[in-house]
Amino acid sequence: MINMLSVAIFSGLFFASNQLSAGVPFQKCWTQWYDRDDPSGSGDWETLSHLHKENPGKICPKPVAIQAQTLTGLSVAAAGDVIYRSDTTAGFVCRNQDQRNKKCNDYRVRFSCPPSYCNEDVCWTKWYDRDNPSGTGDWEILSYLNKENPGMICPKPVAIQAQTLTGLSVAAAGDVIYRSDTTAGFVCRNQDQHNKKCNDYRVRFSCPPSYCDEDVCWTKWYDRDDPSGTGDWEILSHLHKENPGKICPKPAAIQAQTLTGLSVAAVGDVIYRRDTTTGFVCRNQDQHNKKCNDYRVRFSCPPSYCDKDVCWTKWYDRDNPSGTGDWEDLSDLHKENPGKICPKPAAIQAQTLTGLSVAAAGDVIYRKDTTAGFICRNKDQHNKKCSDYRVRFSCPPSYCDENVCWTKWYDRDDPSGSGDWEILSYLHKENPGKICPKPAAIQAQTLTGLSVAAAGDVIYRSDTTAGFVCRNQDQHNKKCNDYRVRFSCPPSYCDKDVCWTQWFDRDDPSGSGDWEILSYLNKEHPGMICPKPAAIQAQTLTGLSVAAAGDVIYRSDTTTGFVCRNQDQRNKKCNDYRVRFSCPPSYCNEDVCWTPWYDRDDPSESGDWETLSDLHKENPGKICEHPQYIEAVTTDTNTPANSTGDIIFISSPTKGFICRNEDQDCGCLDYKVRFGCRC
């Protein structure tokens, strides 16, 4: 009891003394709860140094106060444990040896920090490093950073952080800093240092969530209860049941607001519970007027649970556990399925071929992440045998469902009035039958091809219900860019009045990069490319997509064309690319003729082998020596091979088509092929 009292007095004095020494009221808030240990060992060690390392940038360097409670929400006093340490220097320590029953409760802690560390409406941008101290010092000027990174940093950051490129804080580095604020940015001058040389620094800024670069995002808002009974109970377990697959199993954070959009702090209700374990509970009995407001909640989860710009690829199964285990390596999957999986997936899912989750299967998994892929080793299992798994990845929409496509771009308004109003209901009326009633997604870009993020405008609305709205009144310069939109719909809604031109390759990366400039291509190929292409595609000369090649692309749009700069690449060299454009049919390649369909094999043995060499032998003089294109479809329904779900071993105009039974779950379908030749 004495121990507990001394801790409470110490925490109170520590907090009060800090307020008084500052001379002004301290605006404090509480971070989220952290639980890094449990008492299964020598006790529960929630040490601040470890929490700092495991949660970089999430807890301030010198917290003003600390709070601890059990995972069930009991205070330290209510739990009755003897606490060894609880302060803002060491953190929180409960030792089993100090307890009567030799076992501590399981605790979590949080810290009182400046608002930028806990405000639910701010987060930290990625790190920026625009200068080094080779000149007069390191000048990370905010105005320059805004110009060089349009739309990536908010106009008025709440806070700034700086650290050396090696990760040292300014205090640890020991430099004298000339300026570090949210107006100018960060400046370290060489002349102010003892050794006349600053360290090399990077900076980041505290901004609204839309400016941050995180591996988490916010789900949509959920409102499953109202306070007409005993209160408003937004219980996470109930929300999981009622919204399967929509909320991650272990959210990183929770936010709550009233249905009118007010924060919890603004309405003043006493909240009984708000955490990522239970969810949110406001009890009527705890309020002065005996009635809670009506709340909704959302959760911070990996991008696959909330990002509208990602979706799931098809399932891949490249291995089985007949050897040392089931190795679904991402690098191998990339090689075997070029252009089908994005270079940096946002998330990975795995399940057995019978559809069981990893948890339900009960295997011990060696590796499961978006870097290596998925690995289950037989030696780690009780029965020395893994289940047979398949995997899929969360990627941008272009890598996903082949049964949707994008409509053409629509531009019905410009910002000359109150803004740019690309309203879906108006677009439906003005373009009857061209846009599906319920689009799956919406994309917007400026008429010059810039994404919304790159343009930097504040967007009032962008969804598949209303459409897209940019209001001039919301912009700093009171003027929106001019936007166009398109929608993800079933294939029948996609533009049938366009086709793709031939491939063009006017440059190679032997100079400063690969510059496939549209104006030059128009001059060099008069009449071959339409004046205003609807879209552009680029691929390497070996047929890899831009995503599969992995280059950083400087420009790819229907205004400029395609530019890959050597200076932007890690190895300082771009791949060699070719481009083509989506135009009206009159601009497309008329110099290709297709052979009849050939079906020389069926999948009764090892697979379906429609090889060009065999077809040449069996059909002398009927197929050109060097076909430019190949098409493969099923013999019964004419379904394209890339839509059947079969894993295709080879599909090449120079080699032919091979589907191997060993690569499939139930064997290959029966295919026929034809070849595109010069007429």
Side-chain angles (χ1 to χ4, degrees), residues 497-504 527-529 583-594 628-629 676-679:
D497 294 329
V498 297
C499 62
W500 290 99
T501 65
Q502 69 181 67
W503 290 102
F504 297 96
M528 304 289 285
I529 305 169
C583 288
S586 60
Y587 289 89
C588 295
N589 195 346
E590 302 292 344
D591 294 331
V592 175
C593 294
W594 289 94
Q628 290 183 297
Y629 305 97
C677 298
R678 289 285 183 186
C679 293

Side-chain angles (χ1 to χ4, degrees), residues 465-603:
T465 306
F468 177 89
V469 179
C470 178
R471 302 188 306 181
N472 290 336
Q473 71 187 63
D474 299 328
Q475 316 312 316
H476 290 293
N477 63 355
K478 302 306 176 185
K479 190 65 177 285
C480 293
N481 284 278
D482 194 359
Y483 289 91
R484 60 185 180 182
V485 294
R486 65 178 183 173
F487 301 89
S488 180
C489 287
S492 59
Y493 287 89
C494 292
D495 199 340
K496 296 177 181 179
D497 294 329
V498 297
C499 62
W500 290 99
T501 65
Q502 69 181 67
W503 290 102
F504 297 96
D505 176 31
R506 65 166 302 278
D507 194 24
D508 62 63
S510 59
S512 60
D514 195 345
W515 299 71
E516 306 293 337
I517 305 298
L518 180 57
S519 59
Y520 294 160
L521 287 167
N522 273 323
K523 290 177 183 177
E524 296 163 7
H525 303 276
M528 304 289 285
I529 305 169
C530 53
K532 294 184 178 181
I536 183 176
Q537 280 187 347
Q539 64 175 217
T540 67
L541 297 191
T542 58
L544 290 178
S545 68
V546 174
D551 286 336
V552 177
I553 304 306
Y554 179 70
R555 196 80 184 256
S556 180
D557 57 57
T558 56
T559 307
T560 302
F562 178 89
V563 179
C564 177
R565 302 188 305 181
N566 290 336
Q567 70 187 64
D568 298 329
Q569 316 312 318
R570 291 190 181 179
N571 63 356
K572 302 305 176 186
K573 190 66 176 286
C574 293
N575 283 278
D576 195 359
Y577 289 91
R578 59 184 180 182
V579 294
R580 65 177 183 173
F581 300 89
S582 180
C583 288
S586 60
Y587 289 89
C588 295
N589 195 346
E590 302 292 344
D591 294 331
V592 175
C593 294
W594 289 94
T595 68
W597 290 101
Y598 295 98
D599 177 27
R600 64 165 302 278
D601 193 23
D602 61 63

Side-chain angles (χ1 to χ4, degrees), residues 14-30 60 62-65 111-118:
F14 183 86
F15 178 61
S17 65
N18 270 275
Q19 282 185 304
L20 293 171
S21 63
V24 293
F26 177 75
Q27 292 184 340
K28 71 181 183 70
C29 66
W30 291 99
C60 52
K62 295 182 179 181
V64 173
F111 300 89
S112 180
C113 287
S116 60
Y117 287 90
C118 38

